[in-house]
């Protein structure tokens, strides 16, 4: 279908499938031009949607008339209905000869609420991980103290055993029993050294976990700050929304008051015109009577 301007304030289009011609009048030429632009825009969107649906059917090799019809209608539904309603408001205003206020769009902060929920979820997860790491850190600290005490005891025991070996070597010389005891003592010392090395490795791991805990704390602080900034922005948007709603309500009240005043003035003007008409008729009758 093609929209055609038949005059400065009137346009029409024809539906060949229904054999019907539609016409629409406007209060001004600018409204007519705007409607024509929207008409062409939606027509192009419908054409692109139809081509897209045809490409999908060619790729899948399963053509479906219903899906093509749905793709054709989908881009026209939300925006075209709004545009048609706006033009209907304009057409009704032209017929009733009364001005109407166009609705004002007010943005709502949906995206801010979604971001706040996302950061709150991340903050809760970080708090849980922080609590677990804190408990593990406290337990590890207690274990480190115990391991240090055991290490000191092992070192004292090793020194005592070394002294004992030296004493035995000096006193009795190198006998088979002393060699066996020395071998056992050396094995015990090696086992103690291996245990000491394992404890040192565990201590290094605990230090790394503590460092990770500090990093998680820094991330938690950053997330908390971002959450506070988001909440502040959300409060600002809500305040702006309330102010805009108040302005809208005030404008509507002022427009309604202006309409009432205008109607009263028109009624008064009609009465005065009627009185002047009667006065004119009376003067005409007096002039005709005086002439006769």
């Amino acid at each position: 279908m093609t929209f055609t301007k038949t005059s400065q304030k009137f346009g029409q289009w024809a539906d060949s499938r229904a054999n019907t011609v539609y016409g629409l009048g406007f209060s001004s030429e600018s409204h007519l031009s705007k409607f024509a632009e929207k008409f062409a825009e939606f027509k192009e969107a419908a054409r692109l949607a139809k081509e897209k649906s045809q490409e999908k059917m060619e790729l899948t090799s399963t053509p479906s008339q219903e899906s093509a019809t749905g793709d054709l209608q989908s881009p026209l539904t939300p925006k075209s209905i709004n545009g048609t309603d706006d033009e209907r408001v304009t057409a009704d205003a032209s017929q009733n000869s009364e001005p109407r206020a166009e609705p004002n769009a007010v943005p709502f902060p949906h995206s801010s609420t979604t971001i706040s929920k996302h950061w709150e979820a991340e903050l809760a997860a970080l708090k849980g991980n922080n609590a677990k790491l804190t408990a593990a850190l406290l337990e590890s600290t207690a274990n480190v103290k115990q391991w240090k005490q055991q290490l000191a005891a092992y070192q004292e025991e090793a020194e005592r055993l070394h002294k004992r070996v030296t004493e035995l070597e000096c006193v009795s010389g190198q006998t088979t029993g002393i060699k066996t005891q020395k071998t056992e003592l050396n094995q015990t010392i090696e086992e103690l050294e291996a245990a000491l090395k394992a404890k040192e490795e565990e201590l290094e791991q605990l230090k790394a976990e503590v460092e990770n805990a500090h990093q998680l704390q820094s991330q938690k602080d950053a997330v908390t700050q971002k959450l506070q900034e988001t909440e502040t922005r959300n409060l600002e948007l809500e305040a702006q929304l309330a102010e805009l709603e108040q302005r809208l309500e005030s404008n509507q009240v002022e427009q309604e008051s202006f309409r009432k005043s205008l109607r009263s003035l028109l009624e008064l003007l009609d009465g005065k015109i009627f009185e002047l008409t009667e006065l004119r008729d009376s003067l005409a009758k007096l002039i005709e009577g005086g002439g006769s």
Side-chain angles (χ1 to χ4, degrees):
M1 295 183 293
T2 302
F3 184 78
T4 304
K5 298 179 182 179
T6 57
S7 66
Q8 292 183 350
K9 297 182 180 181
F10 192 83
Q12 65 182 18
W13 68 96
D15 187 355
S16 58
R17 293 175 297 178
N19 293 326
T20 306
V21 178
Y22 301 93
L24 190 62
F26 298 89
S27 60
S28 64
E29 187 176 0
S30 61
H31 289 164
L32 175 61
S33 300
K34 182 180 179 181
F35 181 81
E37 292 174 359
K38 292 292 182 181
F39 194 98
E41 178 182 345
F42 295 133
K43 179 181 177 182
E44 180 65 17
R47 185 185 65 80
L48 294 176
K50 184 176 181 181
E51 292 178 355
K52 185 177 180 181
S53 64
Q54 290 177 352
E55 291 178 357
K56 289 182 179 179
M57 287 189 295
E58 291 176 358
L59 291 175
T60 57
S61 297
T62 54
S64 175
Q65 186 65 24
E66 294 180 357
S67 63
T69 305
D71 292 337
L72 181 60
Q73 292 176 354
S74 58
L76 292 175
T77 302
K79 200 170 180 181
S80 61
I81 290 176
N82 291 334
T84 305
D85 290 341
D86 292 340
E87 302 305 331
R88 286 178 179 173
V89 170
T90 307
D92 293 339
S94 175
Q95 293 175 1
N96 298 330
S97 299
E98 293 182 359
R100 294 188 180 182
E102 295 181 359
N104 293 328
V106 180
F108 292 91
H110 295 294
S111 59
S112 300
T113 305
T114 305
I115 294 173
S116 299
K117 292 181 179 178
H118 173 71
W119 287 121
E120 287 175 357
E122 287 196 1
L123 181 60
L126 287 174
K127 285 182 179 179
N129 293 334
N130 189 26
K132 292 179 181 178
L133 288 174
T134 302
L137 180 62
L138 294 175
E139 183 180 358
S140 301
T141 304
N143 292 334
V144 167
K145 292 181 180 179
Q146 184 179 0
W147 292 338
K148 286 182 178 179
Q149 293 176 358
Q150 291 179 357
L151 179 60
Y154 292 155
Q155 289 177 347
E156 291 177 359
E157 182 68 17
E159 291 178 358
R160 188 183 66 80
L161 291 174
H162 278 296
K163 289 179 181 179
R164 180 62 177 169
V165 169
T166 304
E167 290 175 359
L168 290 174
E169 288 179 350
C170 294
V171 172
S172 59
Q174 296 180 352
T175 62
T176 304
I178 294 176
K179 289 181 179 180
T180 303
Q181 188 177 7
K182 181 180 179 181
T183 302
E184 293 177 353
L185 291 174
N186 289 331
Q187 291 178 353
T188 304
I189 292 172
E190 290 177 356
E191 291 176 356
L192 291 174
E193 289 178 350
L196 177 62
K197 185 177 181 181
K199 297 298 182 183
E200 289 178 350
E201 291 178 354
E202 291 182 359
L203 184 60
E204 291 295 330
Q205 292 179 356
L206 290 175
K207 289 181 179 179
E209 290 180 358
V210 170
E211 185 66 23
N212 292 332
H214 290 312
Q215 293 179 358
L216 289 174
Q217 183 66 29
S218 301
Q219 293 178 359
K220 173 188 172 184
D221 295 338
V223 170
T224 303
Q225 183 177 2
K226 289 181 179 179
L227 180 60
Q228 291 177 353
E229 293 176 354
T230 303
E231 291 177 351
T232 303
R233 179 59 178 168
N234 192 15
L235 292 175
E236 292 177 355
L237 291 174
E238 289 178 354
Q240 292 178 2
L241 174 61
E243 183 179 359
L244 289 174
E245 289 178 349
Q246 186 176 1
R247 289 181 180 178
L248 177 60
E249 184 177 357
S250 176
N251 289 335
Q252 290 177 350
V253 172
E254 291 178 358
Q255 289 178 0
E256 186 64 24
S257 176
F258 177 74
R259 288 178 182 175
K260 290 181 180 179
S261 301
L262 185 60
R263 289 174 183 172
S264 301
L265 182 61
L266 288 174
E267 291 176 358
L268 181 61
L269 186 60
D270 289 339
K272 294 297 182 180
I273 291 173
F274 181 74
E275 292 177 0
L276 289 173
T277 303
E278 290 183 348
L279 180 60
R280 177 180 173 279
D281 294 340
S282 299
L283 290 174
K285 291 179 180 179
L286 287 174
I287 293 171
E288 290 177 358
S292 60

